[in-house]
Amino acid sequence: MTQDFKNIAEAFEWFMNNVYPGLSTAHKLKLKDVKYDYYHPQKRAVSEKRMRRVLSEHGQVEDIVRYHVRGRK
């Protein structure tokens, strides 16, 4: 299954809502600090690098850049 997102934070949010609940207890324990840091109202301090690492451990992350030159065909 492939999902498209505008940025890593959006992909990570989707991961936490859709993939994380189905992970084994062992995997959830491994991610407990990330989950706490992500959902804690005063922290929200999960770096993009950390999000990428978690996403990469459970799937493939691809960066897609589109550049459109204005005024040319």
Side-chain angles (χ1 to χ4, degrees), residues 23-60:
L23 295 176
S24 68
T25 303
H27 279 95
K28 286 181 181 178
L29 285 173
K30 186 177 177 185
L31 298 174
K32 72 180 177 81
D33 291 337
V34 174
K35 182 181 177 186
Y36 176 80
D37 291 346
Y38 186 72
Y39 285 113
H40 192 277
Q42 294 176 341
K43 284 201 172 201
R44 296 293 276 196
V46 178
S47 68
E48 183 175 316
K49 182 178 178 180
R50 195 171 175 197
M51 289 180 193
R52 282 181 180 276
R53 186 176 64 235
V54 169
L55 292 171
S56 294
E57 289 174 0
H58 299 279
Q60 180 180 354

